[in-house]
Amino acid sequence: MTEQTETSQRPVLVVDFGAQYAQLIARRVREAGVYSEIVPHTASADEIAAKNPVGIILSGGPSSVYEDGAPSLDSGVFDLGVPTLGICYGFQVMARALGGEVANTGLREYGATDAAVTGDGGVLLGGQPVDQNVWMSHGDQVSRAPEGFDVLASTSATPVAAFGSDEKRLYGVQWHPEVKHSDHGQQVIENFLHKAAGLPADWNSGNVISEQVERIRAQIGSGRVISALSGGVDSAVSTALVHKAVGDQLTAIFVDHGLLRKGEREQVENDYVASTGVRLITIDAREQFLDALAGVSDPEQKRKIIGREFIRSFEAAERALVAEAAADGEPIRFLVQGTLYPDVVESGGGTGTANIKSHHNVGGLPEDLQFELVEPLRTLFKDEVRAIGRELGLPEAIIARQPFPGPGLGIRIVGEVTADRLEILRDADAIAREELTKAGLDGEIWQCPVVLLADVRSVGVQGDGRTYGHPIVLRPVSSEDAMTADWTRLPYDVLSKISNRITNEVREVNRVVLDVTSKPPGTIEWE
């Protein structure tokens, strides 16, 4: 895949050695106003050169450089003359390739570590405190820097914790500057980008919008295009971008499957349409979905049913639009999809023909739909998508909303999905979201699934009598990309208010519990 077709910006390439933080490095580069992409460590020097990079960052990784079969790098990459920064494992790969020494001394460093900057710190560490706290995760150490390189920092266990050569424009650090735990980590990345590589901070949401509008117009021409609008951030922003580019050539299809949260249909039909002017067709399929889900408790079966019924609803709308298009003489050739960059990376880099994502993400679009995909967000991370949505003037209630699974509340009811249970969960979910917003906590959490344990009843006391109500589970989590997550330590007074309101205001609920499991081992959703 050559992403130059996606963006006119020349990229900083993040070479992935299997690190859990490769995507985080790419995000930090973008936060510094520079466009970045991720490539596998197996890419050859010629393949990397073909991308015309303005910088290269070698990620960390879980291996030892001494292990048989350890991830390696084409040494020709260091001969390309491209400014390069090695991080952790990438730092050690660079050191060995350039003639330095990496040793396993038995001294390991994990977590918070005190580091000392040597001399003036050079271009990479200049202007930073001599003593600083960094985040380490390594067993091997660089014991000798390559010839011609200056040692820029050290720790008690690692004599060469950072090095650099201004002449070669090659640099490295043993710690992880991309994580927030490294006190001056972002400054390390920005010093490399702006000072060592001389790159301007000129990549922003405004540039992305104008660039994507031009690309969408070139792709679609005078053709007609449809979009599956779920009300989520990704589909809302991708649909708005395409509408900005081609206007009434786009028709958005919104399927109300009855598994939405309180007020979401009205939000899409009123606020979203008012802010974009997009032509919207709503399919009311609530009864269809409930009938199909009747008597089903198995979570995987529920997902399959919801995906299948979504396909049927979407295809019915598609057939009507195709017939309309045939009457107008212009067929529908294009389908908008809210693919994000993590999806591209996790599917192998996006090479070859793109596959339509599963219903967990975009509502179960069938794989045999004969459309050419329009994916205006496929180079972006979620926070960048939100920024573009705000730039486009979309309602904050949609842009700032928490991620919501395609199967909706159907997988937040543990047990059979019924109209009565959906109303109970909708009311409890609305209270939780309202109180989190009032407390100003929306920015601190990734999402807070609210789960109804429909097949469980617990004893309670309400109104001087015993009750047998359903428990509600609160699952607040913090994350940057949902690949890993930790439960959010919400203030007790907020939790208390949510619990009191739910047990007082939502019928058949007499207990609220808090899920304090990280991911892994638990997933964010319960089903």
Side-chain angles (χ1 to χ4, degrees):
M1 177 186 68
T2 302
E3 290 290 351
Q4 298 307 309
T5 59
E6 299 292 342
T7 175
S8 61
Q9 297 274 346
R10 292 173 58 193
V12 167
L13 297 180
V14 177
V15 178
D16 185 4
F17 286 101
Q20 59 177 319
Y21 294 135
Q23 290 192 30
L24 185 54
I25 296 171
R27 289 165 58 96
R28 296 293 182 248
V29 172
R30 293 178 182 208
E31 289 171 6
V34 180
Y35 179 66
S36 63
E37 296 174 14
I38 300 172
V39 295
H41 69 88
T42 53
S44 68
D46 288 342
E47 289 172 329
I48 288 177
K51 288 182 170 288
N52 201 19
V54 290
I56 297 171
I57 298 180
L58 310 179
S59 84
S63 303
S64 166
V65 292
Y66 294 112
E67 291 176 352
D68 290 337
S72 60
L73 180 70
D74 185 339
S75 60
V77 169
F78 299 112
D79 298 324
L80 296 177
V82 178
T84 302
L85 171 67
I87 293 175
C88 193
Y89 183 86
F91 171 59
Q92 296 173 6
V93 167
M94 176 186 287
R96 290 192 78 195
L98 298 176
E101 291 183 1
V102 179
N104 188 332
T105 63
L107 298 175
R108 301 182 178 187
E109 292 176 314
Y110 294 102
T113 305
D114 292 327
V117 174
T118 303
D120 63 3
V123 172
L124 196 65
L125 305 181
Q128 298 182 24
V130 172
D131 298 314
Q132 55 182 275
N133 194 260
V134 300
W135 192 260
M136 291 284 198
S137 182
H138 69 102
D140 299 332
Q141 291 85 15
V142 174
S143 55
R144 182 174 62 82
E147 186 175 349
F149 281 67
D150 297 320
V151 176
L152 304 178
S154 63
T155 72
S156 60
T158 305
V160 184
F163 60 42
S165 169
D166 293 337
E167 179 184 352
K168 298 180 182 349
R169 295 198 296 176
L170 301 176
Y171 306 86
V173 293
Q174 182 60 70
W175 62 87
H176 286 274
E178 72 274 20
V179 302
K180 298 292 188 182
H181 308 293
S182 291
D183 290 345
H184 301 278
Q186 186 65 13
Q187 188 179 348
V188 171
I189 292 173
E190 293 183 5
N191 282 352
F192 168 71
L193 297 171
H194 304 317
K195 295 181 179 179
L199 304 177
D202 61 357
W203 193 76
N204 54 56
S205 58
N207 292 343
V208 172
I209 291 172
S210 59
E211 189 175 280
Q212 287 301 321
V213 164
E214 183 179 338
R215 188 186 69 80
I216 292 165
R217 287 173 178 165
Q219 180 183 7
I220 295 175
S222 62
R224 295 186 61 179
V225 56
I226 58 175
S227 171
L229 184 63
S230 69
V233 178
D234 304 342
S235 69
V237 175
S238 58
T239 298
L241 255 179
V242 174
H243 183 261
K244 182 177 178 66
V246 300
D248 290 342
Q249 293 169 235
L250 168 71
T251 300
I253 299 172
F254 175 64
V255 177
D256 181 357
H257 46 32
L259 308 173
L260 302 170
R261 294 186 290 186
K262 181 172 285 189
E264 285 184 327
R265 175 170 173 171
E266 294 76 14
Q267 196 176 72
V268 171
E269 290 182 324
N270 300 326
D271 300 344
Y272 183 79
V273 170
S275 66
T276 61
V278 70
R279 179 193 180 195
L280 176 70
I281 295 177
T282 298
I283 308 298
D284 191 336
R286 290 175 290 182
E287 187 174 338
Q288 170 188 332
F289 276 77
L290 276 177
D291 288 346
L293 289 166
V296 178
S297 296
D298 179 74
E300 189 57 31
Q301 192 177 355
K302 285 195 289 187
R303 284 180 177 274
K304 289 178 179 178
I305 290 171
I306 293 167
R308 181 193 71 206
E309 296 304 315
F310 188 97
I311 289 171
R312 291 175 177 173
S313 302
F314 188 84
E315 285 180 332
E318 175 220 341
R319 284 193 295 271
L321 284 172
V322 167
E324 175 188 305
D328 293 342
E330 184 67 56
I332 299 173
R333 292 177 41 220
F334 302 95
L335 171 67
V336 180
Q337 180 167 290
T339 308
L340 302 191
Y341 193 51
D343 303 316
V344 176
V345 174
E346 290 162 19
S347 64
T351 56
T353 303
N355 292 319
I356 295 175
K357 294 188 288 184
S358 71
H359 63 270
H360 180 79
N361 294 311
V362 293
L365 302 183
E367 294 184 3
D368 59 352
L369 283 179
Q370 300 301 306
F371 294 112
E372 181 180 332
L373 295 182
V374 181
E375 301 174 297
L377 310 179
R378 74 189 314 268
T379 62
L380 305 176
F381 289 98
K382 178 76 78 172
D383 52 342
E384 296 166 338
V385 171
R386 294 189 198 279
I388 287 172
R390 292 185 176 98
E391 191 90 13
L392 290 170
L394 299 188
E396 188 65 20
I398 290 179
I399 294 306
R401 68 174 296 193
Q402 300 171 10
F404 192 55
L409 298 180
I411 60 167
R412 291 184 178 174
I413 294 176
V414 179
E416 181 186 2
V417 178
T418 67
D420 189 55
R421 289 173 172 181
L422 282 167
E423 284 308 307
I424 292 172
L425 181 53
R426 251 190 284 272
D427 289 342
D429 175 84
I431 289 171
R433 287 188 290 131
E434 180 183 332
E435 292 301 330
L436 289 172
T437 298
K438 283 168 58 177
L441 294 169
D442 288 339
E444 294 185 24
I445 63 172
W446 173 264
Q447 63 186 127
C448 182
V450 176
V451 181
L452 172 64
L453 302 184
D455 287 345
V456 176
R457 287 189 178 272
S458 64
V459 178
V461 178
Q462 291 173 302
D464 295 326
R466 289 168 64 86
T467 62
Y468 294 93
H470 297 293
I472 284 285
V473 180
L474 303 180
R475 173 74 167 130
V477 295
S478 299
S479 179
E480 291 211 5
D481 53 19
M483 297 179 69
T484 60
D486 194 13
W487 66 280
T488 309
R489 277 64 168 174
L490 296 177
Y492 290 150
D493 60 334
V494 175
L495 289 171
S496 176
K497 186 171 291 187
I498 293 173
S499 176
N500 288 339
R501 284 196 59 193
I502 289 176
T503 52
N504 286 336
E505 299 175 29
V506 182
R507 59 187 176 82
E508 295 193 47
V509 173
N510 64 0
R511 191 179 301 273
V512 176
V513 300
L514 179 66
D515 184 344
V516 294
T517 313
S518 62
K519 177 189 178 182
T523 56
I524 293 178
E525 299 290 346
W526 270 49
E527 292 198 339

